[in-house]
């Protein structure tokens, strides 16, 4: 789990393992209401997004969906907790 201060505007990088010879073509993100997630970019095996709008004590699930060069679609859930302390 990633823990961030609620006042942070932080980049989070996701490493996509076991892609074989495929690479990431695109990634989309879905976040709960109140959380702001903005895609920042991809490499062949990682994707990065910026998150802000966290509330202290709450845990959020950001959903990432990567489309690979092979046509496969992979999904990951990234838990992020807001903690001021």
């Amino acid at each position: 789990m990633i823990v961030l201060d609620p006042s942070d505007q932080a980049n989070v990088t996701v490493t996509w393992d076991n892609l074989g010879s495929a690479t990431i073509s695109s990634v989309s993100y879905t976040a709960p209401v109140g959380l702001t997630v903005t895609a920042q970019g991809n490499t062949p095996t990682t994707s990065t997004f910026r998150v802000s709008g966290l509330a202290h004590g709450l845990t959020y699930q950001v959903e990432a969906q990567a489309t690979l060069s092979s046509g496969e679609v992979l999904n990951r859930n990234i838990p992020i907790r807001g903690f001021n302390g």
Side-chain angles (χ1 to χ4, degrees), residues 44-63:
T45 60
T46 67
S47 62
T48 301
F49 63 91
R50 180 166 291 165
V51 63
S52 62
L54 297 153
H56 172 72
L58 294 182
T59 300
Y60 304 88
Q61 292 287 332
V62 174
E63 298 176 19

Side-chain angles (χ1 to χ4, degrees), residues 13 26 29 39 42 46 49 81 83:
T13 298
S26 65
Y29 300 95
N42 308 325
T46 67
F49 63 91
R81 181 175 176 88
F83 186 76

Side-chain angles (χ1 to χ4, degrees), residues 13-24 27 43-47 66 68 70 72-76:
T13 298
V14 180
T15 300
W16 300 81
D17 295 323
N18 303 317
L19 299 181
S21 62
T23 59
I24 296 171
V27 181
T43 71
T45 60
T46 67
S47 62
L68 306 181
S70 62
E72 294 174 276
V73 176
L74 303 178
N75 295 288
R76 299 285 186 273

